[in-house]
Amino acid sequence: RPATIYGPRGKDFVVEIAKLLRQRMMVLIDGGRARGGFTYVDNVAEAMMRAAESPNTLGRAYNLCDETGTRWREYTDALADALGYRRPRLALPFRAAMAIGRVMELPHGLLKLSGRPLLTRHAVHLLGQDQEFPATRAREDFGFAPRVPLAEGIARSAAWFRSRD
């Protein structure tokens, strides 16, 4: 059960956030205080392979995150810095963002518009609620230890994103 997987080719947590940063439309919920539970894609892949090889994992579920304690504000600021974009300045309280998300979803549902609204209740939930859960059992049962730290993961993600243009 990985939390917020980011890295090159990451649609939601790299491409979409980078686009919002470039457009100056990235909205932080409650100032970006929630912990994102960020996990670099290579760390997840390695964990899955190690779990598949371990006899300790049969019939068990595991939380995966790099356990950095990184908050959305820190992640979006670091990604903006790595891309040479301005840091996000828009912030909404959770309840207000949920209400706005509901209103923005309405025409998309009724008119069957393609894409997704600028703000959705799902996005508000992801950005406004802690998503970091302990990976203790994964460490104990199959030696999960993230090899790619957050700063390097963001640098790799930004380099990949810039290479697309």
Side-chain angles (χ1 to χ4, degrees), residues 14-26 79-80 83-88 161-162 164-165:
V14 175
V15 173
E16 293 299 321
I17 289 177
K19 286 179 181 178
L20 291 169
L21 288 167
R22 181 175 50 212
Q23 297 166 352
R24 306 278 298 137
M25 298 296 291
M26 180 64 203
L79 187 58
L83 291 168
Y85 298 158
R86 290 185 181 169
R87 291 178 172 189
F161 185 81
R162 284 191 308 270
R164 301 170 54 243
D165 293 334

Side-chain angles (χ1 to χ4, degrees), residues 113-128:
L113 299 174
S114 63
R116 62 180 160 199
L118 179 62
L119 192 62
T120 65
R121 289 173 290 170
H122 180 69
V124 171
H125 180 75
L126 288 175
L127 298 172

Side-chain angles (χ1 to χ4, degrees), residues 37-119:
F38 299 99
T39 310
Y40 187 68
V41 64
D42 291 3
N43 296 339
V44 173
E46 183 177 347
M48 292 175 82
M49 290 187 297
R50 292 185 79 151
E53 294 169 348
S54 174
N56 300 332
T57 61
L58 293 175
R60 300 192 81 179
Y62 295 90
N63 295 323
L64 286 180
C65 75
D66 293 350
E67 294 187 304
T68 62
T70 302
R71 300 180 184 283
W72 279 103
R73 163 65 71 186
E74 297 162 325
Y75 177 81
T76 56
D77 284 355
L79 187 58
D81 292 348
L83 291 168
Y85 298 158
R86 290 185 181 169
R87 291 178 172 189
R89 58 182 165 80
L90 301 173
L92 292 170
F94 185 86
R95 291 178 71 130
M98 272 298 203
I100 292 168
R102 181 176 288 115
V103 168
M104 290 182 147
E105 290 171 3
L106 192 61
H108 275 264
L110 292 174
L111 301 174
K112 298 184 187 334
L113 299 174
S114 63
R116 62 180 160 199
L118 179 62
L119 192 62

